[in-house]
Amino acid sequence: MKKINIVPSATSDIDFITTAVFAAVKSGTDILTYSTLFEKSEEELLPLFKEMIKEDIEGQELWLSGFLLAEEYDGTPAATCCAWIEGEKGPSSMLTAQLLSFTLGTETYKKALEKQEVIESMRIDRAEGAVQIEHVYTAPNYRGRGLAARVIEKQIELYKFIQPEIQKAQIILFKTNQNALNAYTNMGFKIVKEQHSNHPQVLDYFPANTRVLMEKDI
């Protein structure tokens, strides 16, 4: 087995990170929620998301410097995830919304706001001061080796070292993503909240109609 290192992200990793973001949002389905909400194809969104990630806006899920990567000795990326401490720079949902609105344009962003009712039906609030784990992804050729778990554990270790007073880490995911649910459970995460939507259009925009918040004491 080739040696894998856990390293900070760099601008050269943006292609892999964008792939990770889209795959994580799809959650094992063909539904990219960004496409359904903003009414743009994946091909149209790809360069825009690379631009947003490159902006490196701290404290939210598209933060380039918030990603760690598991990679081979030659720099080939294998797995990644993003992390931040919720609320340090303001609510992450607000920061991401501002970034999306600025990059996609006001008219495009308004298209998503038209679906606010269905969006709110799936909302789970993050705990201020908790480490947030988002966009966990392992490239197909590297699955089954526990690399995503290693990256998550490293993220938690780094934030705990920087701020020892942090007490918990959180992950939000769709309940139908059983592989991820099992993996996080094995890491010590527990479901602390479940949000189910009965909105008649929820499956037109999201991969599933139930999300869960998992939490781990650190």
Side-chain angles (χ1 to χ4, degrees):
M1 183 181 295
K2 294 180 179 178
K3 184 178 180 181
I4 297 289
N5 297 313
I6 309 298
V7 300
S9 61
T11 304
S12 57
D13 299 312
I14 283 179
D15 286 352
F16 183 78
I17 288 172
T18 308
T19 296
V21 169
F22 282 15
V25 172
K26 289 178 181 178
S27 192
T29 72
D30 293 326
I31 297 177
L32 179 63
T33 300
Y34 290 123
S35 287
T36 57
L37 292 179
F38 295 114
E39 299 177 18
K40 284 186 177 291
S41 69
E42 187 169 334
E43 291 73 24
E44 290 175 305
L45 289 173
L46 189 61
L48 296 172
F49 269 75
K50 289 180 181 179
E51 182 181 330
M52 282 187 278
I53 293 167
K54 193 180 293 186
E55 287 292 322
D56 207 16
I57 304 298
E58 185 177 355
Q60 49 84 38
E61 64 189 69
L62 301 175
W63 175 31
L64 175 61
S65 297
F67 283 85
L68 288 181
L69 281 83
E71 65 176 31
E72 290 195 34
Y73 69 97
D74 63 357
T76 302
T80 191
C81 76
C82 187
W84 68 94
I85 299 174
E86 181 62 25
E88 276 202 326
K89 301 297 179 180
S92 60
S93 58
M94 181 187 70
L95 295 172
T96 305
Q98 290 172 344
L99 185 59
L100 287 165
S101 178
F102 178 79
T103 306
L104 300 178
T106 304
E107 291 306 312
T108 297
Y109 191 73
K110 283 181 179 178
K111 292 179 180 179
L113 295 180
E114 292 169 2
K115 294 107 174 174
Q116 192 67 21
E117 186 177 318
V118 66
I119 294 170
E120 284 297 315
S121 74
M122 293 291 285
R123 178 178 172 178
I124 294 181
D125 291 326
R126 304 176 187 272
E128 187 171 340
V131 177
Q132 301 297 318
I133 305 295
E134 189 69 68
H135 300 318
V136 181
Y137 172 75
T138 303
N141 292 344
Y142 294 92
R143 290 173 185 168
R145 295 169 57 178
L147 298 182
R150 282 182 57 188
V151 178
I152 293 170
E153 288 167 353
K154 188 64 175 179
Q155 291 274 29
I156 293 172
E157 176 188 323
L158 289 172
Y159 279 103
K160 187 67 174 176
F161 177 78
I162 296 168
Q163 295 194 30
E165 69 275 13
I166 295 172
Q167 297 181 350
K168 59 188 174 183
Q170 296 182 323
I171 298 177
I172 297 174
L173 67 152
F174 290 104
K175 193 176 182 181
T176 51
N177 193 344
Q178 194 62 51
N179 288 338
L181 197 64
N182 292 341
Y184 302 149
T185 299
N186 290 337
M187 293 181 65
F189 285 88
K190 297 179 181 179
I191 295 175
V192 296
K193 184 173 183 179
E194 183 171 312
Q195 180 67 30
H196 178 78
S197 173
N198 290 314
H199 194 286
Q201 293 180 299
V202 64
L203 295 179
D204 293 335
Y205 300 108
F206 292 92
N209 60 1
T210 304
R211 299 172 84 201
V212 295
L213 173 67
M214 301 189 77
E215 199 169 272
K216 176 181 179 178
D217 292 333
I218 59 174

